[in-house]
């Protein structure tokens, strides 16, 4: 299901054909510098993520992370979208992209489009972003879409800045 589009991107639900893209996003150490998980080493880990996390979020919450497809190539190059974070009782806007797409404004373009769907499509009127210390790229994306630092905190045993925006 397509959620929204921009000039360069399609934001849509993940599907079975996206397992390889999920594996890439979660296996490249450079991509995971500020993500508190170990790199995937097996495609079965990506399949498990798709079925037990992403699809489960779609089923139980009615929303979850969205695939970001690059229109020009037709490839899934990352994700951007909502995820309920129980520790905060709030919905996070999260995003992650393959390194060859960094520095092109894609993160801000996708984040702006995604957060624009939170209220009208999902009825969500507040969003947070949990950004690990040192992740200047993600902080820049959050600021570009109007999020502001709300507080410093610990999440998954890491120091984070919680960014916030009323929608």
């Amino acid at each position: 299901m397509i959620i929204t589009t921009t000039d360069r991107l399609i934001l849509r639900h993940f599907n079975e054909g996206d397992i390889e893209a999920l594996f890439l996003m979660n296996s490249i150490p450079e991509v995971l510098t500020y993500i508190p998980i170990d790199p995937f080493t097996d495609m079965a880990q990506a399949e498990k993520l798709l079925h037990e996390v992403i699809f489960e979020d779609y089923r139980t919450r009615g929303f979850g992370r969205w695939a970001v497809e690059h229109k020009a190539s037709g490839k899934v190059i990352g994700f951007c979208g909502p995820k309920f974070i129980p520790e905060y009782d709030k919905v996070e806007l999260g995003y992650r992209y393959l390194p060859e797409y960094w520095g092109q404004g894609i993160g801000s373009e996708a984040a702006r489009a995604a957060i624009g769907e939170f209220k009208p499509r999902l009825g969500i009127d507040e969003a947070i972003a949990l950004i690990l210390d040192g992740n200047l790229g993600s902080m820049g994306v959050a600021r570009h879409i109007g999020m502001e630092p709300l507080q410093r905190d610990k999440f998954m045993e890491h120091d984070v800045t919680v960014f916030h925006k009323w929608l």
Side-chain angles (χ1 to χ4, degrees):
M1 171 203 294
I2 292 177
I3 304 299
T4 190
T5 63
T6 70
D7 288 343
R8 300 182 288 174
L9 309 170
I10 298 168
L11 277 68
R12 61 168 176 78
H13 280 191
F14 277 99
N15 62 52
E16 292 288 342
D18 298 325
I19 291 172
E20 186 175 338
L22 282 168
F23 177 77
L24 285 174
M25 279 181 258
N26 290 286
S27 64
I28 301 170
E30 183 181 12
V31 174
L32 301 176
T33 301
Y34 298 105
I35 310 298
I37 64 169
D38 291 328
F40 285 5
T41 57
D42 188 290
M43 202 69 75
Q45 292 171 287
E47 189 172 349
K48 183 177 180 178
L49 172 66
L50 180 67
H51 290 275
E52 295 181 14
V53 178
I54 297 170
F55 286 174
E56 185 62 20
D57 283 347
Y58 293 169
R59 276 191 293 278
T60 60
R61 294 270 172 204
F63 61 85
R65 302 292 196 212
W66 298 323
V68 176
E69 184 177 315
H70 195 264
K71 285 181 178 178
S73 69
K75 289 175 40 177
V76 172
I77 62 167
F79 74 74
C80 184
K83 180 166 181 62
F84 181 74
I85 307 296
E87 294 88 341
Y88 289 87
D89 195 29
K90 296 190 185 324
V91 175
E92 179 196 34
L93 172 68
Y95 36 87
R96 184 179 315 161
Y97 301 95
L98 298 174
E100 58 265 35
Y101 296 94
W102 295 352
Q104 301 175 31
I106 284 174
S108 295
E109 183 177 331
R112 191 172 290 109
I115 208 163
E117 296 296 319
F118 278 29
K119 191 164 188 170
R121 181 180 290 269
L122 305 173
I124 297 167
D125 60 5
E126 177 183 16
I128 62 170
L130 302 170
I131 302 176
L132 269 68
D133 282 1
N135 192 344
L136 301 180
S138 286
M139 288 182 181
V141 169
R143 286 187 172 101
H144 277 118
I145 64 165
M147 296 184 105
E148 296 181 355
L150 177 68
Q151 68 189 52
R152 302 268 308 128
D153 208 347
K154 284 257 193 223
F155 183 70
M156 296 176 70
E157 300 178 20
H158 293 271
D159 292 326
V160 298
T161 299
V162 180
F163 281 76
H164 177 270
K165 181 176 182 169
W166 289 104
L167 309 173

